[in-house]
């Protein structure tokens, strides 16, 4: 799939078929995350893969009862690794770069998920401490995005976007 096509046609998917996702596809998705840009190529991110029903239900609870999270065959959690980034870049690495690294990886994975005929949604609304406890995430690693994914069972219309002329700001000095 052409990358520009993947960028414009990817949609947030919140309804999934019961069909499981093959491990080979999961590996290809994570490989796409690994090829994302990262500050200094330090790759300050980790990904947790959850398939277990009970854990997915707990994650749905932590995300304020969004049940579709529990119904996805897989939930990936893109995490920022503050240790890796701050060891090189100090406070900026800790507060910013590792979050950006995890976000870049998450976006690459969303595009790969779409290109492979799967669907997913970035979930940012969750209680971080609860997710940390459910997944026993170590200190210094922050969950940034829950990514429930599976074979799509909906085809949402593209939501309206701002126009180029609205986001662009030319400076004339
Ligand atoms: C940082 C971020 C946080 C988001 N959090 C949520 C969320 O908590 N729940 C949800 O249903 N969608 C969430 N989304 C998905 C957005 O609602 C979605 O990307 C947006 O409406 C545009 O739709 P599209 O992805 O289909 O183009 C989030 C997306 C981003 C990038």
């Amino acid at each position: 799939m052409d990358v520009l096509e993947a960028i414009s046609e990817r949609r947030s998917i919140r309804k999934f078929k019961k069909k499981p996702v093959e491990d080979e596809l999961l590996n290809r998705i994570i490989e796409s995350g690994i090829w994302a840009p990262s500050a200094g190529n330090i790759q300050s991110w980790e990904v947790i893969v959850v398939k277990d029903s009970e854990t997915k239900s707990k994650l749905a609870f932590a995300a304020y009862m969004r049940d579709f999270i529990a119904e996805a065959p897989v939930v990936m959690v893109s995490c920022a690794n503050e240790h890796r980034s701050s060891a090189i870049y100090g406070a900026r690495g800790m507060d910013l770069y590792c979050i950006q690294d995890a976000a870049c990886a998450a976006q690459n994975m969303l595009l790969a998920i779409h290109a492979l005929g799967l669907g997913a949604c970035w979930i940012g609304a969750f209680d971080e401490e609860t997710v940390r406890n459910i997944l026993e995430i170590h200190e210094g690693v922050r969950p940034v995005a829950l990514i429930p994914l599976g074979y799509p069972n909906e085809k949402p219309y593209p939501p309206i976007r701002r126009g180029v002329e609205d986001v662009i700001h030319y400076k004339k000095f």
Side-chain angles (χ1 to χ4, degrees), residues 27-42:
N27 284 342
R28 287 181 73 185
I29 292 161
I30 293 166
E31 184 84 11
S32 301
I34 286 169
W35 282 105
S38 68
N41 198 30
I42 304 298

Side-chain angles (χ1 to χ4, degrees), residues 10-12 14 66 68 121-125 159 161:
R10 178 212 56 80
R11 291 280 70 78
S12 290
R14 299 179 179 88
R66 298 306 301 272
F68 71 88
C121 184
W122 180 312
I123 303 292
R161 292 301 208 255

Side-chain angles (χ1 to χ4, degrees), residues 8 20 25-26 33 36 54-55 70-71 93 97 100 110 119 123 157 161 171-172:
S8 60
L25 295 187
L26 282 180
E54 199 184 323
T55 311
E71 283 152 22
Y97 290 163
Q100 291 176 324
L110 289 181
I123 303 292
Y157 282 106
R161 292 301 208 255
K171 296 287 178 192
K172 295 180 200 142

Side-chain angles (χ1 to χ4, degrees), residues 35-97:
W35 282 105
S38 68
N41 198 30
I42 304 298
Q43 302 163 65
S44 304
W45 73 289
E46 317 290 333
V47 64
I48 300 170
V49 176
V50 180
K51 294 183 187 176
D52 166 68
S53 297
E54 199 184 323
T55 311
K56 285 186 294 177
S57 294
K58 288 180 183 168
L59 289 175
F61 171 79
Y64 314 112
M65 319 295 182
R66 298 306 301 272
D67 289 343
F68 71 88
I69 297 172
E71 283 152 22
V74 181
V75 180
M76 298 196 315
V77 185
S78 183
C79 300
N81 185 328
E82 295 175 340
H83 298 298
R84 285 184 75 90
S85 199
S86 65
I88 309 293
Y89 295 114
R92 197 164 172 81
M94 171 105 118
D95 300 339
L96 183 63
Y97 290 163

